[in-house]
Amino acid sequence: MAAIPVREGVKALSEGLPAPTLTRNSWRGRGRAWVEVRGLDGPRGDELGRVIVGAVLARPGVTSASINRPLSRVVVSLYGNQTSL
């Protein structure tokens, strides 16, 4: 998991949830980024959020990660430009 981009890791972790997605919205700028995560509003949203934060924090260049459940996003702080979304 540590060798794949953040966006692909989030996609892999949320597979099997209802309404599979072909694309995922994301944004990056000034040392921060967010990636859309489906399933956070479901009954296992808390558990999914914890798993995603742990996986994202394991990526090189990620300094922090948190879940924004109302917007269904993982919000990430990045060190440098080496970390791919």
Side-chain angles (χ1 to χ4, degrees), residues 2-20:
I4 62 176
V6 172
R7 179 175 42 214
E8 294 304 314
V10 170
K11 181 178 176 183
L13 288 170
S14 61
E15 279 188 20
L17 295 173

Side-chain angles (χ1 to χ4, degrees), residues 42-77:
R44 297 180 63 196
D46 285 335
E47 178 185 355
L48 176 62
R50 284 190 297 275
V51 170
I52 288 174
V53 165
V56 170
L57 286 172
R59 297 278 305 136
V62 173
T63 59
S64 70
S66 63
I67 296 294
N68 183 326
R69 281 189 78 180
L71 295 179
S72 296
R73 297 175 176 169
V74 58
V75 180
V76 183
S77 293

